[in-house]
Amino acid sequence: MGNLKLEPAISRLDLLAPPVAAALEVWPADAPIDGDQIMVAPIDGSLADTAEFCQAYGVGLEESANCVIVAGKRGELTRYAACVVLATTRADVNGLVRKHLDARKASFAPMDDAVRLSGMEYGGITPIGLPKDWPVLVDARVVAMPHVIIGSGVRASKIAIAGPALGALPGAQVIEGLAREA
């Protein structure tokens, strides 16, 4: 996990966006890991973007996961989903994600919408604490990782979590081939 100074996230709720902190406070007892096994580390918020973060903190891209918010539209209806993919891959937005959302058109959600609807900062959005009606689509490669680094809901910290725990989040669906190599 590079040179991150990790601490149990439950003891550092101040490093998390409010929806993330709220989700950790009610972490399910039947989750594959206990809530106190989710770790958080403060970082320089100007280095939150994946490539810069990995270089600055000695974390491999293959250990990092990105959470992107996708908006799928069919007529006047817009559905949102979170896609969690390794940083070495890209979500198949116009293929699997579009079909999963039963949308005619799918694209990355506009930044303002993603921030407003998630209650998180752009560049720090995480699958933990998202709106309950959003599916969380997790690439099978993420779940296969012993640990990954993801956003914390804010740009000034990162979460370290076991990959299988992301596949067990509320609303999560593990999908083989959700992402393609970048």
Side-chain angles (χ1 to χ4, degrees):
M1 298 275 123
N3 55 19
L4 294 172
K5 292 181 174 67
L6 295 166
E7 304 174 64
I10 200 71
S11 67
R12 290 301 312 268
L13 298 178
D14 59 305
L15 292 176
L16 308 172
V20 179
L24 288 183
E25 289 178 320
V26 295
W27 192 254
D30 61 347
I33 63 170
D34 291 334
D36 61 359
Q37 293 177 294
I38 300 168
M39 307 300 277
V40 67
I43 66 164
D44 178 339
S46 69
L47 299 172
D49 293 333
T50 304
E52 292 86 3
F53 162 76
C54 287
Q55 184 175 358
Y57 291 93
V59 174
L61 281 173
E62 67 282 353
E63 296 176 283
S64 296
N66 292 323
C67 179
V68 295
I69 306 303
V70 175
K73 295 183 180 185
R74 179 178 285 279
E76 297 299 315
L77 180 63
T78 301
R79 292 186 183 103
Y80 294 93
C83 298
V84 184
V85 299
L86 293 177
T88 55
T89 65
R90 299 289 172 249
D92 182 10
V93 172
N94 288 308
L96 285 175
V97 178
R98 181 183 60 77
K99 289 176 187 169
H100 185 83
L101 291 174
D102 190 30
R104 290 196 187 277
K105 180 182 175 189
S107 59
F108 295 110
M111 178 178 65
D112 291 344
D113 291 349
V115 168
R116 178 177 47 82
L117 296 171
S118 71
M120 301 179 200
E121 293 178 6
Y122 190 75
I125 295 176
T126 187
I128 300 169
L130 288 173
K132 293 187 185 320
D133 61 337
W134 288 11
V136 176
L137 310 178
V138 184
D139 186 72
R141 288 178 273 200
V142 173
V143 175
M145 296 294 294
H147 291 90
V148 292
I149 302 292
I150 59 173
S152 64
V154 297
R155 292 182 62 86
S157 65
K158 294 285 186 179
I159 287 175
I161 188 169
L166 293 173
L169 289 172
Q173 298 171 39
V174 178
I175 300 176
E176 190 72 42
L178 176 65
R180 294 185 236 160
E181 294 299 318

